[in-house]
Amino acid sequence: MPIKFPKHLKPIEPQGASILEKERQNATFNTEDLMEFIFGKDYITKRNRILGILQNDPVLGDKSHRYYNGRDVRFKKSLAAAKRFVELQRIHNWTDEEYGIADFLFDESTAFRLHRSMFMPTIANQGTEEQKKLFLEPALKYEIIGCYAQTELGHGSNVRGLETTATYHPETETFVLNSPTLTASKWWIGGLGVAANYAVVMARLISNGKDYGPHPFVVQIRNLENHEPLKGITVGDIGPKFGFNTVDNGFILFDNVHVPHISMLARYSRIDKKTGEYINPPNSKLAYGTMVFVRANIVLESRLVLARAATVAVRYSAIRIQGSDAANPKKVTNSKGESVVVETPVLDYTMQQYRLFPIIAQAYACHFTGQQMHRMYNKNQERMAQGDFSYLADLHASSSGLKSLTTTLAVAAIEECRRACGGHGYSLFSGLGQFYQDYLPKATWEGDNYLLTQQTARYLFKTMRQLRAGRIDGKESFSSGYISEYLSNTTVRCSFSYLEELDNPEALLSAFKFRAAFLVDKAVHALDAEGASWNDMLVEIYRVSRAHCQLLLATNFIQAVFGTSLQANANTARVLQQIAILFCLSTIEQEAADFLSSGYLSPEQSLMVKQRLVQVLKLVRPNAVALVDAFGFPDYLLNSALGEKDGHVYEKMTEMAEREPLNQNTVADGYEEFIQPLIHKGKKNWKVDQDGVAKL
Amino acid sequence: MPIKFPKHLKPIEPQGASILEKERQNATFNTEDLMEFIFGKDYITKRNRILGILQNDPVLGDKSHRYYNGRDVRFKKSLAAAKRFVELQRIHNWTDEEYGIADFLFDESTAFRLHRSMFMPTIANQGTEEQKKLFLEPALKYEIIGCYAQTELGHGSNVRGLETTATYHPETETFVLNSPTLTASKWWIGGLGVAANYAVVMARLISNGKDYGPHPFVVQIRNLENHEPLKGITVGDIGPKFGFNTVDNGFILFDNVHVPHISMLARYSRIDKKTGEYINPPNSKLAYGTMVFVRANIVLESRLVLARAATVAVRYSAIRIQGSDAANPKKVTNSKGESVVVETPVLDYTMQQYRLFPIIAQAYACHFTGQQMHRMYNKNQERMAQGDFSYLADLHASSSGLKSLTTTLAVAAIEECRRACGGHGYSLFSGLGQFYQDYLPKATWEGDNYLLTQQTARYLFKTMRQLRAGRIDGKESFSSGYISEYLSNTTVRCSFSYLEELDNPEALLSAFKFRAAFLVDKAVHALDAEGASWNDMLVEIYRVSRAHCQLLLATNFIQAVFGTSLQANANTARVLQQIAILFCLSTIEQEAADFLSSGYLSPEQSLMVKQRLVQVLKLVRPNAVALVDAFGFPDYLLNSALGEKDGHVYEKMTEMAEREPLNQNTVADGYEEFIQPLIHKGKKNWKVDQDGVAKL
């Protein structure tokens, strides 16, 4: 018989639902206003419509299996979901945006993910018209299902190190693919392990004895009739991962696999069919523009990750009680109308606020920067179309560092929120464990978060050198602006002298600017004057990029909410301004070593920052629940007992525990084999009465 | 047919085995010497003997299932292991130490864990002789299997908030246990979900209408004959967790469950059988002594966690190549005897060293502090036996903060090492994913890592106040020593003026001392003079504890390796001294904000610390592999493709991938149902030749 909780028991007073209701009443602004400000009416309408479709779908509506099953069950259910997504898209004729919303709400990657996100876009961007017709059209209909095979077992981000070869043979007009070593095996390729029958394979192009480095080839890998691997191909799944186990990341090795000349994607560089001559690609900076677009989306996604983690932790922290704050005891009115002291909700503790509220602020910071990146991307595309590439370098450099910084923040935030939920954060029912595990790869793909910072720093170093040499001025770009300001006065110091002054947005930005420019200056000096190698400076390079990107986040946030163009009512504006200040203060506090070692902030001022931060946390406290509510994450997405909107934390925990497979019988499988023999061995020493009570 | 990798392929040159061999040759000290220095000969002999037993055991020898299976399979296999452990202990007559070694090597908690670690010790410590005879004797024989039920669904660390009641009825001489609400359900109780038939239940003792707060009761919960829950008891498993899923953490609710008078553990406080009168416990500070012992062991365990994570990441980083350091290209001699440039091992990159080497240093720091805690514990036990409690407060306060700091470091280290392994760190084959998940609860149990710091800080604040009031002097304790030193000169400043000076151990310790005392001073001032509440100060309180405990780690490390009593040869001593300096510098660098805001370190000096740190990383580089080798973790423990001793990283990755259940057929389960229908739908658009190659 399945184990059930006694239905007559309620949680201790006060109930979560009434707590959250009160929290919402206490907010100083209207949640719907802020939600509309963030997403716009149109998006909210779409999200609600698609949510209705998913929640009521027979395949996608039930997420309850996700926390209990092993990879075998979850993978198969996820395959079913992948197929259902294909059907739903056809039925509802979803746009890319709508598909993205559905994907976000469903919140589980499937075996077809890379088919959509990499296989088709690569052919679309790098294929000729003929290739698009040949490969893209069946791909759109899922007659062929593809993946993107770049990474190898022995080679990660460094594309130049790839070992797989594609040698052209003009006599047969074929490329021959080979994996010369074990480390040449493609590895980590999403969708390849089980599902894909085609792959874009990055392989070193060799023609007429010359190695032209990695190029993309569209390669059939499995038989369309029966899905068996083609001759010369060893393909399979790379095995279990820390997360993302509903995706079949795979490996593939090639042993003299022949593919026709048409297989090499030839929009840019190509091989002459007859002679095998290599034809150079035209200089294409356009690809960098696309990267900016992709990264803007990653920053906007980070915002949702930060806000989602905070939603769970903030709501639960409002409900969870622990101990009592002696100086400020919490009182409630009981059913008899008496005022009684109850334990304090953990959200009232400064430490909890200190852990959680900056994460809310980061979510909003990423929102404004993601939006700004999209605006800059559009502006830059227009300019590039007119042959003007002047925006590109700054934009690309900043987008590299921003991808690194915001995904690093988001990864840290999920885990911090999980831990801030105390013991229950460790239950998968928190909804934060799997979330962390599945989001983690974002810190590695689309550019490793450490490596990317080198691109950002390299550009800033160049800017500093060019400014010093007088080859550019401060009007060239945002970066040259703040660096030249610094160069014009490297001995300026922060002027804060009392706490409230710390809310001055311009003054806060000046601090971020000085600190970033100072770090650039020191690093350039070490490289150019002190003989430090690039390798010696990697730690500082990382810091330079982080400082620059924190400045960008602060700048975009401040400009958006303190500017005259802010499209929000007074209450909404006020709370946004408050958390902009919180973002700046908490970031300065976390990075205080930089601000202090640059000399810009004095020791006394840094202590003031800490004090003011605690004061601002208190100001944000009444709005905390409403600020996460404004992101409007439905319970369907959160899949969390701790974070659900109506606050039935403990009822949900017990309902979810009832579904645990071990609880489907009062005596679990394994008892007879492994426990009973030990206990019954001592049977001569005890007896039990008719109720089973032992007499030892 | 199962998928197999081509057997003739080898990884790219140079091979991992030869790389690690060279790394080992380059070390400046003898690994065996250092291993013996850390563990002693006796322990190493025991470890090797027990390793032999486990590796060859039919039940415990094979860990290969751990990464592939869901909770269902893993839990059942773990139950089998639990039973086998009981048998092995009988066969080999293991001491507690030997059992602990076996448990460490097996590296998976089972359903019987809490029976040994909490149920039996609680009865042993808090039971009368009669109770020990009644409960402990059958427990030792596993005729009864117990757990420790304290935490409730609505109440974590705050024992005073517990809701479960045990009301005494003198007329029947029974206690009646009740769970008045849903939140009163016991929750998180290891071993309770499936295995236990007894529990120590912490419940509010109520007698003659008075509530005496939580007390321990030994309660039978399941029938010894058939394992069914007894009347009035709802018991089951709490469901899946982020880790630790081989343990059946459970819940239990009581509905008028009667237990006899003997059930209440009565060594300290007790209830008179006839009258129900409550008899007060004698004042017992002795329990605090035990906590110090437990925490010393946690610190020593942290050391192994840090070192184990570093072992995997350091070995793999020596083998993994990526890109090329232009200023210092890596050359090897190929099979033709030519010198060729190869990609650079990531361990040569400063950033990688910066991420990993401080973790090695932390492992050694925890080693010396754990040892010192044991010495202090013994000294204190002797003194307490003579009625002298003067050591206790300092020792207990420090042990609280050290438990918090060292487990926090260890948690962070596993995840940092996992990420430092790049993409492959995300594979469960890294051995770091499950390790992180299973170790995490250490940050919450035995005292939440945030709450614990309040105990440390409270003691330090008291010490500061007593010193100021002249009630104690600097000779009272370690803490009073450095705080009084600070009070005697609060304006002293660091005197470093050139880089090499930073290797002066005494000067480094002075910096740690000043910084810790400064934080105590500021916090006491805020509380006593500025009207800050305890809650306002929680963030600073955390910092105070961390600063104090980092000082302790640094002090114990420095004193052990620079002192005259060091029992190690010159080469070993030199490398230990080097990493002691590394520990100090990297800690100062990470916490630079504190050192700067106290005014002790100038901005220029803080930049010097960063520079010197990078230099010291370079000095440690040749010894990195040998330093982790010295912990002697066998491959059986590591269960890691990336970290295995002989460096066959890529061979292991592929072997482990072959065991993935999805790879047991070339076409995986799910294809026919979910993939084939999509592809075959377009059958009119393509055909395949006899090799399966498509004509689109």
Side-chain angles (χ1 to χ4, degrees):
Chain A
M1 219 177 50
I3 298 163
K4 296 285 171 199
F5 283 84
K7 288 295 161 237
H8 67 284
L9 292 180
K10 286 244 162 300
I12 193 171
E13 293 295 328
Q15 300 298 306
S18 72
I19 291 169
L20 289 188
E21 204 186 305
K22 250 181 226 142
E23 290 281 350
R24 284 164 183 145
Q25 284 163 4
N26 287 342
T28 63
F29 67 97
N30 182 294
T31 309
E32 273 68 40
D33 288 348
L34 184 52
M35 195 185 304
E36 209 177 301
F37 173 82
I38 300 172
F39 296 112
K41 257 190 185 143
D42 177 56
Y43 177 89
I44 296 168
T45 309
K46 279 183 193 153
R47 184 161 79 179
N48 289 339
R49 175 164 46 77
I50 293 165
L51 176 64
I53 294 169
L54 295 179
Q55 278 182 318
N56 296 310
D57 188 84
V59 180
L60 309 178
D62 183 14
K63 291 181 174 182
S64 69
H65 64 282
R66 290 194 182 172
Y67 298 142
Y68 309 96
N69 290 309
R71 194 186 174 202
D72 44 356
V73 176
R74 288 195 66 206
F75 180 74
K76 216 169 146 185
K77 280 189 185 280
S78 176
L79 263 189
K83 177 162 173 280
R84 184 61 185 156
F85 256 84
V86 175
E87 292 160 5
L88 282 180
Q89 195 193 3
R90 284 174 189 160
I91 294 168
H92 299 287
N93 206 8
W94 278 337
T95 62
D96 276 352
E97 189 202 6
E98 288 167 326
Y99 190 97
I101 293 171
D103 190 51
F104 166 71
L105 292 171
F106 184 63
D107 188 37
E108 181 178 274
S109 293
T110 74
F112 297 169
R113 179 195 174 94
L114 277 291
H115 175 67
R116 283 187 60 85
S117 70
M118 286 298 289
F119 181 71
M120 293 200 286
T122 303
I123 297 170
N125 292 330
Q126 301 189 43
T128 61
E129 290 310 313
E130 187 190 359
Q131 289 172 321
K132 284 190 230 178
K133 193 164 165 51
L134 193 65
F135 301 122
L136 202 52
E137 286 189 8
L140 279 163
K141 291 182 275 186
Y142 285 79
E143 288 167 22
I144 68 175
I145 297 171
C147 59
Y148 182 82
Q150 176 170 306
T151 304
E152 295 178 357
L153 180 56
H155 299 275
S157 312
N158 181 32
V159 180
R160 281 169 300 175
L162 295 179
E163 296 183 67
T164 305
T165 55
T167 309
Y168 189 62
H169 293 259
E171 62 285 9
T172 53
E173 296 179 356
T174 56
F175 296 94
V176 181
L177 275 81
N178 271 299
S179 310
T181 66
L182 193 63
T183 38
S185 176
K186 294 293 173 185
W187 205 268
W188 285 110
I189 315 306
L192 172 63
V194 168
N197 49 26
Y198 269 74
V200 168
V201 177
M202 290 296 281
R204 313 185 74 83
L205 168 63
I206 296 168
S207 189
N208 296 329
K210 202 172 158 197
D211 184 339
Y212 293 97
H215 284 72
F217 299 83
V218 180
V219 181
Q220 188 196 348
I221 56 173
R222 287 184 171 103
N223 188 331
L224 301 198
E225 277 292 353
N226 59 17
H227 215 56
E228 288 290 344
L230 297 188
K231 215 181 91 187
I233 284 174
T234 308
V235 59
D237 187 279
I238 64 161
K241 294 147 290 186
F242 193 53
F244 231 68
N245 280 310
T246 52
V247 174
D248 53 331
N249 296 78
F251 63 83
I252 190 165
L253 291 130
F254 302 95
D255 182 10
N256 277 312
V257 173
H258 289 251
V259 296
H261 178 267
I262 188 83
S263 302
M264 180 173 146
L265 289 176
R267 179 163 165 202
Y268 300 111
S269 52
R270 58 198 170 84
I271 285 286
D272 182 85
K273 206 184 221 176
K274 299 293 165 206
T275 63
E277 186 198 349
Y278 182 73
I279 292 121
N280 260 327
N283 179 9
S284 175
K285 286 186 178 174
L286 292 166
Y288 287 99
T290 310
M291 279 164 84
V292 171
F293 181 78
V294 169
R295 286 169 183 169
N297 285 339
I298 291 180
V299 171
L300 286 176
E301 188 198 9
S302 302
R303 156 195 77 154
L304 299 181
V305 171
L306 289 154
R308 174 176 164 188
T311 298
V312 172
V314 167
R315 286 179 181 166
Y316 175 51
S317 296
I319 294 168
R320 177 183 168 212
I321 50 175
Q322 185 166 281
S324 192
D325 177 10
N328 184 25
K330 183 93 176 177
K331 290 178 186 176
V332 295
T333 309
N334 69 9
S335 54
K336 295 173 201 153
E338 303 158 343
S339 173
V340 290
V341 173
V342 291
E343 291 189 76
T344 300
V346 295
L347 199 58
D348 284 353
Y349 291 112
T350 308
M351 183 51 108
Q352 195 77 351
Q353 297 169 4
Y354 176 80
R355 295 169 77 181
L356 297 180
F357 296 171
I359 291 171
I360 303 176
Q362 288 161 12
Y364 284 90
C366 288
H367 169 73
F368 292 108
T369 285
Q371 286 197 321
Q372 176 67 5
M373 286 171 80
H374 269 301
R375 276 192 295 270
M376 295 295 289
Y377 165 77
N378 288 329
K379 219 181 261 181
N380 179 57
Q381 291 297 99
E382 280 170 29
R383 293 211 173 193
M384 288 204 301
Q386 293 157 14
D388 173 3
F389 291 85
S390 61
Y391 267 26
L392 187 60
D394 195 81
L395 192 53
H396 179 255
S398 293
S399 77
S400 301
L402 282 168
K403 183 271 172 185
S404 170
L405 175 63
T406 61
T407 57
T408 300
L409 288 176
V411 161
I414 306 173
E415 184 63 356
E416 184 65 26
C417 288
R418 195 188 62 67
R419 293 187 199 172
C421 291
H424 291 342
Y426 193 64
S427 167
L428 285 191
F429 305 155
S430 70
L432 296 175
Q434 276 185 7
F435 182 29
Y436 177 70
Q437 292 175 280
D438 289 343
Y439 180 73
L440 262 177
K442 273 277 154 56
T444 307
W445 71 34
E446 293 291 344
D448 173 88
N449 278 0
Y450 282 94
L451 292 181
L452 275 181
T453 61
Q454 297 188 39
Q455 300 182 12
T456 313
R458 194 173 280 121
Y459 167 77
L460 294 171
F461 296 165
K462 189 176 159 195
T463 301
M464 170 69 85
R465 292 183 186 115
Q466 287 183 320
L467 280 168
R468 276 247 168 76
R471 286 202 295 277
I472 58 170
D473 64 23
K475 295 191 197 80
E476 187 78 8
S477 64
F478 175 77
S479 308
S480 73
Y482 77 82
I483 296 177
S484 76
E485 201 178 309
Y486 164 85
L487 287 175
S488 71
N489 186 355
T490 59
T491 57
V492 68
R493 292 295 175 260
C494 179
S495 64
F496 291 135
S497 58
Y498 57 94
L499 285 182
E500 286 70 18
E501 247 184 319
L502 286 162
D503 292 5
N504 178 338
E506 282 310 316
L508 290 167
L509 284 187
S510 296
F512 278 100
K513 285 177 183 170
F514 187 93
R515 167 240 191 174
F518 174 84
L519 286 173
V520 173
D521 187 17
K522 281 282 159 191
V524 169
H525 185 75
L527 286 165
D528 296 355
E530 292 172 351
S533 73
W534 187 258
N535 188 9
D536 291 338
M537 296 302 294
L538 287 177
V539 178
E540 289 308 304
I541 282 164
Y542 186 77
R543 283 203 184 92
V544 163
S545 174
R546 187 172 58 186
H548 173 73
C549 293
Q550 286 171 336
L551 164 60
L552 287 171
L553 287 176
T555 303
N556 292 329
F557 201 163
I558 296 274
Q559 284 180 353
V561 303
F562 286 95
T564 49
S565 63
L566 182 66
Q567 303 277 330
N569 65 40
N571 287 338
T572 305
R574 207 169 299 123
V575 72
L576 285 172
Q577 288 165 1
Q578 202 165 64
I579 53 172
I581 299 298
L582 172 60
F583 175 77
C584 293
L585 288 176
S586 70
T587 305
I588 292 175
E589 196 258 4
Q590 277 165 39
E591 309 286 355
D594 277 358
F595 290 88
L596 281 158
S597 64
S598 73
Y600 188 76
L601 221 60
S602 72
E604 294 71 27
Q605 287 167 331
S606 80
L607 297 176
M608 284 166 58
V609 169
K610 294 207 262 186
Q611 272 184 281
R612 182 64 190 156
L613 174 58
V614 171
Q615 292 173 348
V616 174
L617 292 174
K618 280 189 193 173
L619 298 175
V620 171
R621 170 67 187 87
N623 285 322
V625 170
L627 279 166
V628 296
D629 280 352
F631 278 87
F633 299 122
D635 290 340
Y636 174 78
L637 171 76
L638 299 174
N639 202 10
S640 164
L642 307 184
E644 76 146 29
K645 193 172 179 195
D646 290 341
H648 296 117
V649 169
Y650 301 112
E651 296 92 328
K652 279 276 164 193
M653 287 291 283
T654 55
E655 281 167 29
M656 290 170 103
E658 285 182 352
R659 285 197 215 107
E660 161 64 42
L662 286 172
N663 292 338
Q664 300 320 304
N665 283 298
T666 45
V667 177
D669 189 30
Y671 160 71
E672 287 185 18
E673 200 176 346
F674 305 116
I675 299 174
Q676 199 190 61
L678 294 170
I679 294 165
H680 282 203
K681 204 177 176 188
K683 228 168 163 175
K684 61 182 183 302
N685 299 324
W686 51 259
K687 51 182 178 229
V688 301
D689 66 17
Q690 76 276 16
D691 291 331
V693 177
K695 187 90 192 144
L696 295 175
Chain B
M1 219 177 49
I3 298 163
K4 296 284 171 200
F5 283 83
K7 288 296 160 235
H8 67 282
L9 292 179
K10 286 243 162 301
I12 192 171
E13 292 295 330
Q15 300 298 306
S18 72
I19 291 170
L20 290 188
E21 205 186 305
K22 249 179 227 145
E23 290 281 349
R24 284 163 183 146
Q25 285 163 2
N26 287 343
T28 63
F29 67 97
N30 182 295
T31 309
E32 274 68 39
D33 288 349
L34 183 52
M35 195 186 303
E36 209 177 301
F37 173 82
I38 300 172
F39 296 113
K41 257 192 186 140
D42 176 57
Y43 176 89
I44 296 168
T45 309
K46 279 183 193 153
R47 185 162 77 178
N48 290 339
R49 176 164 46 76
I50 293 165
L51 176 65
I53 295 169
L54 295 178
Q55 278 180 319
N56 295 310
D57 189 84
V59 180
L60 309 178
D62 182 15
K63 292 182 174 181
S64 70
H65 64 282
R66 289 195 182 170
Y67 298 142
Y68 308 96
N69 290 309
R71 194 185 174 201
D72 44 356
V73 176
R74 288 195 66 205
F75 180 73
K76 215 170 147 185
K77 280 188 184 281
S78 176
L79 262 189
K83 177 162 174 281
R84 184 62 184 155
F85 256 83
V86 175
E87 292 160 5
L88 282 181
Q89 194 193 3
R90 283 174 189 161
I91 295 168
H92 299 287
N93 205 10
W94 278 337
T95 62
D96 276 350
E97 188 203 6
E98 287 167 327
Y99 190 96
I101 293 172
D103 190 51
F104 166 70
L105 291 171
F106 184 63
D107 188 38
E108 181 177 275
S109 292
T110 75
F112 298 170
R113 179 195 175 95
L114 277 290
H115 175 66
R116 283 186 60 85
S117 70
M118 286 298 288
F119 182 71
M120 293 200 286
T122 304
I123 296 170
N125 292 329
Q126 302 191 43
T128 61
E129 290 309 314
E130 188 190 0
Q131 288 172 323
K132 285 190 228 179
K133 195 164 166 45
L134 192 65
F135 301 121
L136 201 51
E137 287 189 8
L140 279 163
K141 291 183 276 187
Y142 285 80
E143 288 167 22
I144 68 174
I145 297 171
C147 59
Y148 182 82
Q150 176 170 306
T151 304
E152 294 178 355
L153 180 57
H155 299 274
S157 312
N158 182 33
V159 180
R160 282 170 299 175
L162 295 180
E163 296 184 67
T164 306
T165 55
T167 309
Y168 189 63
H169 293 260
E171 62 284 8
T172 53
E173 296 181 356
T174 57
F175 295 95
V176 181
L177 275 80
N178 270 300
S179 310
T181 65
L182 193 64
T183 38
S185 176
K186 295 292 175 186
W187 205 268
W188 285 111
I189 314 306
L192 172 63
V194 167
N197 48 27
Y198 269 75
V200 167
V201 177
M202 290 296 282
R204 314 186 72 84
L205 168 64
I206 296 169
S207 189
N208 296 330
K210 201 172 159 198
D211 183 338
Y212 293 98
H215 284 73
F217 299 83
V218 181
V219 181
Q220 187 195 349
I221 57 172
R222 287 184 171 104
N223 189 329
L224 300 197
E225 279 291 353
N226 58 18
H227 215 56
E228 288 290 344
L230 296 187
K231 215 181 90 185
I233 284 174
T234 309
V235 60
D237 188 278
I238 64 160
K241 294 146 292 186
F242 193 54
F244 230 71
N245 280 310
T246 51
V247 174
D248 52 331
N249 296 77
F251 63 82
I252 190 165
L253 291 130
F254 302 94
D255 183 10
N256 277 314
V257 173
H258 290 250
V259 296
H261 179 266
I262 188 83
S263 302
M264 180 173 146
L265 290 177
R267 179 161 166 205
Y268 299 112
S269 52
R270 58 198 169 83
I271 284 287
D272 183 84
K273 204 184 224 176
K274 299 292 166 206
T275 64
E277 188 198 347
Y278 182 73
I279 292 124
N280 260 328
N283 179 9
S284 175
K285 288 187 178 175
L286 292 166
Y288 286 99
T290 310
M291 279 164 81
V292 172
F293 182 77
V294 170
R295 287 170 182 167
N297 286 339
I298 291 180
V299 172
L300 286 176
E301 189 198 9
S302 302
R303 155 196 77 153
L304 299 180
V305 171
L306 289 154
R308 175 175 162 188
T311 299
V312 173
V314 166
R315 285 179 182 166
Y316 175 51
S317 297
I319 293 168
R320 176 183 168 212
I321 51 175
Q322 185 166 282
S324 192
D325 177 10
N328 183 27
K330 183 94 175 175
K331 290 178 186 178
V332 296
T333 310
N334 69 9
S335 55
K336 295 174 201 155
E338 303 158 343
S339 173
V340 291
V341 173
V342 292
E343 291 189 76
T344 300
V346 296
L347 199 57
D348 285 354
Y349 290 113
T350 308
M351 183 50 107
Q352 195 77 352
Q353 297 169 5
Y354 176 81
R355 295 170 77 182
L356 297 180
F357 296 171
I359 292 171
I360 303 177
Q362 287 161 12
Y364 284 90
C366 289
H367 169 74
F368 292 108
T369 285
Q371 286 196 321
Q372 175 66 4
M373 286 171 80
H374 269 300
R375 275 192 295 270
M376 295 294 289
Y377 165 77
N378 288 328
K379 220 180 260 181
N380 178 57
Q381 291 298 99
E382 280 170 30
R383 293 211 173 193
M384 289 204 300
Q386 293 156 13
D388 173 3
F389 291 86
S390 61
Y391 266 27
L392 187 61
D394 195 81
L395 192 54
H396 179 255
S398 294
S399 77
S400 301
L402 282 168
K403 184 272 170 183
S404 170
L405 175 63
T406 61
T407 57
T408 300
L409 287 175
V411 162
I414 306 172
E415 183 62 358
E416 184 64 25
C417 287
R418 195 189 62 68
R419 293 187 199 172
C421 291
H424 292 341
Y426 194 65
S427 167
L428 284 191
F429 305 155
S430 69
L432 296 175
Q434 276 184 7
F435 182 29
Y436 177 70
Q437 293 175 281
D438 289 343
Y439 180 73
L440 262 177
K442 272 275 155 54
T444 307
W445 71 34
E446 293 291 344
D448 173 88
N449 278 359
Y450 281 94
L451 292 181
L452 274 181
T453 61
Q454 298 188 39
Q455 300 181 12
T456 314
R458 194 173 281 120
Y459 167 77
L460 294 171
F461 296 167
K462 189 176 160 195
T463 302
M464 170 70 84
R465 291 183 186 116
Q466 288 183 319
L467 280 167
R468 276 248 169 76
R471 286 201 295 276
I472 59 169
D473 64 21
K475 295 191 198 78
E476 187 78 9
S477 64
F478 175 77
S479 308
S480 73
Y482 76 83
I483 296 177
S484 76
E485 201 179 308
Y486 165 86
L487 286 175
S488 71
N489 186 355
T490 60
T491 56
V492 68
R493 292 294 176 261
C494 179
S495 64
F496 291 135
S497 59
Y498 57 95
L499 283 183
E500 286 71 17
E501 248 185 319
L502 287 162
D503 292 4
N504 178 339
E506 282 310 315
L508 290 167
L509 285 186
S510 297
F512 279 100
K513 285 177 183 169
F514 188 94
R515 168 239 191 174
F518 174 85
L519 286 173
V520 172
D521 188 16
K522 281 283 160 189
V524 169
H525 185 74
L527 287 164
D528 296 354
E530 293 172 350
S533 73
W534 188 257
N535 188 9
D536 291 336
M537 297 303 293
L538 287 176
V539 178
E540 289 307 305
I541 283 164
Y542 185 78
R543 283 204 185 91
V544 163
S545 174
R546 187 172 58 186
H548 173 74
C549 293
Q550 286 171 335
L551 164 60
L552 288 171
L553 288 176
T555 303
N556 292 329
F557 201 164
I558 296 275
Q559 283 180 352
V561 303
F562 286 95
T564 49
S565 62
L566 181 67
Q567 303 276 332
N569 64 40
N571 287 339
T572 304
R574 207 170 300 123
V575 73
L576 285 171
Q577 288 164 2
Q578 202 165 63
I579 54 173
I581 299 298
L582 172 60
F583 175 77
C584 293
L585 288 176
S586 70
T587 305
I588 293 175
E589 195 258 4
Q590 277 165 38
E591 309 287 355
D594 277 359
F595 289 88
L596 282 157
S597 64
S598 74
Y600 188 76
L601 220 61
S602 71
E604 294 71 27
Q605 287 167 331
S606 80
L607 298 176
M608 285 166 57
V609 169
K610 294 208 262 187
Q611 272 184 282
R612 183 63 189 156
L613 173 59
V614 171
Q615 292 174 348
V616 174
L617 292 173
K618 280 189 193 173
L619 297 175
V620 171
R621 170 67 186 89
N623 285 322
V625 170
L627 279 167
V628 296
D629 280 353
F631 279 87
F633 300 122
D635 290 340
Y636 174 76
L637 172 76
L638 299 175
N639 202 10
S640 165
L642 306 185
E644 77 146 30
K645 194 173 179 194
D646 290 340
H648 296 117
V649 169
Y650 302 111
E651 296 91 328
K652 279 276 164 193
M653 287 291 283
T654 55
E655 282 167 28
M656 289 171 104
E658 284 182 353
R659 286 196 214 107
E660 160 64 42
L662 286 172
N663 292 338
Q664 302 318 305
N665 283 300
T666 45
V667 177
D669 189 29
Y671 160 71
E672 286 185 18
E673 201 176 344
F674 305 117
I675 299 175
Q676 199 190 59
L678 294 170
I679 295 165
H680 282 204
K681 205 177 177 187
K683 228 169 162 175
K684 61 183 182 301
N685 300 325
W686 51 260
K687 52 184 176 226
V688 301
D689 66 16
Q690 77 276 16
D691 290 330
V693 176
K695 187 89 190 142
L696 296 175

